[in-house]
């Protein structure tokens, strides 16, 4: 989702992504609370990571080729985010509700 929004709406992408995740969670019966549902730090981390990939790869359109290239990126592996965040910090209520910078290594 972030891939498409970053290409279609680069400046307001984050707000559209944020609202889309929250609406999706609710549509499947989930709730966006202090302990479940939408996670601000995870959302901003992956949106920034995908946006950076798009800039570096000079992707300007959502094509089959650009999507295949995105899906092959190492940052889409399950535990990638834990290179930057401790599990304790990432699972905290504060990280769920607000952007928190990484505590293990800086994002570059």
């Amino acid at each position: 989702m972030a891939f498409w929004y970053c290409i279609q709406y680069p400046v307001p992408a984050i707000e559209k992504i944020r609202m889309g995740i929250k609406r999706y969670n609710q549509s499947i019966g989930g709730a966006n609370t202090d302990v479940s549902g939408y996670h601000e730090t995870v959302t901003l981390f992956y949106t920034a990571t995908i946006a950076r990939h798009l800039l570096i790869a000079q992707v300007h359109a959502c094509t089959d080729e650009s999507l295949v290239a995105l899906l092959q990126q190492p940052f889409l592996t399950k535990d990638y985010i834990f290179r930057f965040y401790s599990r304790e910090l990432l699972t905290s209520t504060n990280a769920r509700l607000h952007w928190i910078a990484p505590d293990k290594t800086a994002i570059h």
Side-chain angles (χ1 to χ4, degrees), residues 42 45-46 77-91 103-105:
V42 170
F45 175 85
Y46 280 108
T77 60
K78 181 180 177 186
D79 291 332
Y80 179 80
I81 196 169
F82 293 111
R83 295 179 185 182
F84 303 90
Y85 289 92
S86 66
R87 203 166 291 276
E88 179 182 14
L89 177 61
L90 202 58
T91 58
D103 61 338
K104 289 173 81 174
T105 189

Side-chain angles (χ1 to χ4, degrees), residues 26-38:
Q26 291 171 332
S27 76
I28 60 168
N32 298 301
T33 70
D34 290 355
V35 295
S36 69
Y38 179 78

Side-chain angles (χ1 to χ4, degrees), residues 55-102:
L55 287 170
I56 292 168
Q58 298 183 358
V59 175
H60 304 290
C62 188
T63 64
D64 289 345
E65 293 81 17
S66 61
L67 184 56
V68 166
L70 172 75
L71 294 175
Q72 295 173 356
Q73 296 305 306
F75 57 77
L76 293 180
T77 60
K78 181 180 177 186
D79 291 332
Y80 179 80
I81 196 169
F82 293 111
R83 295 179 185 182
F84 303 90
Y85 289 92
S86 66
R87 203 166 291 276
E88 179 182 14
L89 177 61
L90 202 58
T91 58
S92 71
T93 299
N94 197 29
R96 179 176 291 282
L97 299 178
H98 311 282
W99 162 253
I100 302 293

